[in-house]
Amino acid sequence: MEARVSDSLVVDTFRMRLADIADVDLSQLHALSIAVGWPHRAEDWRFLLDIGRGFAALDEIDRVLGSAMWFPHGDDFATIGMVITSPRLQTNGAAQWLMRKLISGEFGKRRLRLNATRAAYRLYLSLGFSPRATVYQCQGDARPMPNAPHIPAGLTLRELSPADLDQMTALDAPAFAAARPLHLARLFEESVSYGLFRGQNLRAFSMCRRFGRGHVIGPVTALNEEEAIAVLHPHVTAHAGTFLRLDTHFKTGTFANFVQQCGLPVFDTVTTMTLGEHADYGSSEDGEAMVFTLASQSMG
């Protein structure tokens, strides 16, 4: 990983070069994701460019043929996403070149986490990433439950305000494996958010924003499944009959069953992979919260 990676790559009869993704025309990046069937709107790309960094691969006439982004969470952790190569280059080593360039020059000693599609899984294994868990992409036309989920005695559900961001960050940090105050604040600007409180103490929160074909719910961070359902349900109700998506590590159990009953069956899966120690999501040990749905597959 420490060997220098070239800034250009010869593919077939032409040479690709790297450019800072921030300098690339948004419409070309959007066209790239459309070419591989990803649902991102131009607005979704713009949001990711606001909070992330990365490269784009350009050919000799400046067409965008690939991308790779990373999202810093403090000085020692990052997530990787939007690793795309155009369909005609997917067997020519372009994705490996992009990833090696990203890893060799950008991260220092950061712990890394990403979500690998089936097509990219072997690539990430070859780069030293280890599989950790399956992510279930659940989506469909939302169907709220006839009766609102039970909210445990002593807890209060309400819409969140910017004044709640410090508590959201503190609850989320051990669950995500790093504090992400800047990302949560930026997500908050785009989202409707709910929180579950005991007195003044936050126990669970959820965010929902426009994405792709409709809306995406994420992140959802909570201390247990019942409380995760309590903050999830208002978004399902708000978007009844419209397209809704969430990405979760939960395949079975109370939370997963509730998601299925709300009309969001599993559509696809990816694999969470990590590089470096302590890069995995937190668990419920020691009474800490868990991430029940991801902000996105790119951001984690």
Side-chain angles (χ1 to χ4, degrees):
M1 294 300 176
E2 296 181 356
R4 188 178 185 280
V5 181
S6 173
D7 289 336
S8 64
L9 177 70
V10 176
V11 179
D12 289 335
T13 59
F14 63 91
R15 180 178 295 274
M16 289 195 302
R17 63 178 179 85
L18 290 178
D20 188 324
I21 200 165
D23 298 329
V24 175
D25 185 80
L26 179 65
S27 64
Q28 291 200 64
L29 295 170
H30 186 214
L32 177 67
S33 57
I34 289 173
V36 295
W38 288 19
H40 297 70
R41 305 169 302 148
E43 293 86 350
D44 300 323
W45 266 104
R46 185 177 293 109
F47 176 82
L48 293 169
L49 292 168
D50 283 347
I51 62 175
R53 310 172 191 174
F55 297 116
L58 310 179
D59 69 7
E60 293 163 329
I61 57 172
D62 290 341
R63 291 176 299 189
V64 176
L65 302 179
S67 66
M69 294 190 69
W70 65 285
F71 305 91
H73 305 284
D75 295 329
D76 69 343
F77 184 72
T79 52
I80 296 172
M82 304 308 290
V83 180
I84 308 173
T85 54
S86 66
R88 68 191 181 109
L89 298 183
Q90 288 176 356
T91 60
N92 288 310
Q96 185 177 71
W97 171 62
L98 278 165
M99 280 298 301
R100 287 190 177 278
K101 185 63 180 178
L102 206 64
I103 292 174
S104 68
E106 293 286 308
F107 297 120
K109 296 183 178 180
R110 280 183 170 90
R111 300 167 291 143
L112 302 176
R113 187 166 68 217
L114 55 78
N115 291 299
T117 62
R118 284 184 288 275
Y121 181 79
R122 290 187 179 180
L123 165 64
Y124 298 130
L125 281 179
S126 73
L127 296 171
F129 285 83
S130 299
R132 296 299 183 189
T134 300
V135 176
Y136 301 93
Q137 179 181 326
C138 302
Q139 63 186 50
D141 291 336
R143 184 177 63 239
M145 302 295 288
N147 299 311
H150 171 70
I151 295 178
L155 301 185
T156 303
L157 178 70
R158 66 168 172 83
E159 191 168 344
L160 295 173
S161 75
D164 298 307
L165 278 167
D166 285 347
Q167 279 208 72
M168 295 166 68
T169 300
L171 182 72
D172 180 74
F176 186 71
R180 47 176 173 170
L182 298 180
H183 286 209
L184 290 178
R186 186 66 180 84
L187 285 164
F188 190 89
E189 295 174 2
E190 304 289 328
S191 305
V192 174
S193 304
Y194 286 92
L196 193 65
F197 292 82
R198 184 180 297 279
Q200 298 299 313
N201 296 319
L202 182 68
R203 295 181 57 86
F205 72 85
S206 63
M207 295 182 172
C208 183
R209 68 187 189 280
R210 282 292 312 277
F211 175 82
R213 294 170 54 190
H215 286 76
V216 62
I217 302 175
V220 172
T221 301
L223 290 165
N224 57 55
E225 294 187 72
E226 187 177 26
E227 295 176 8
I229 289 171
V231 294
L232 175 72
H233 185 256
H235 300 302
V236 178
T237 300
H239 299 290
T242 66
F243 185 84
L244 197 57
R245 169 179 169 172
L246 60 83
D247 296 275
T248 181
H249 289 115
F250 288 76
K251 180 183 182 182
T252 60
T254 305
F255 180 80
N257 290 339
F258 181 80
V259 170
Q260 301 290 315
Q261 291 166 10
C262 289
L264 308 179
V266 175
F267 173 76
D268 199 2
T269 61
V270 295
T271 303
T272 297
M273 306 181 76
T274 63
L275 183 64
E277 295 183 357
H278 310 298
D280 202 5
Y281 288 94
S283 67
S284 59
E285 296 176 1
D286 301 323
E288 294 177 340
M290 294 178 288
V291 173
F292 280 81
T293 80
L294 311 184
S296 72
Q297 291 183 10
S298 293
M299 293 185 292

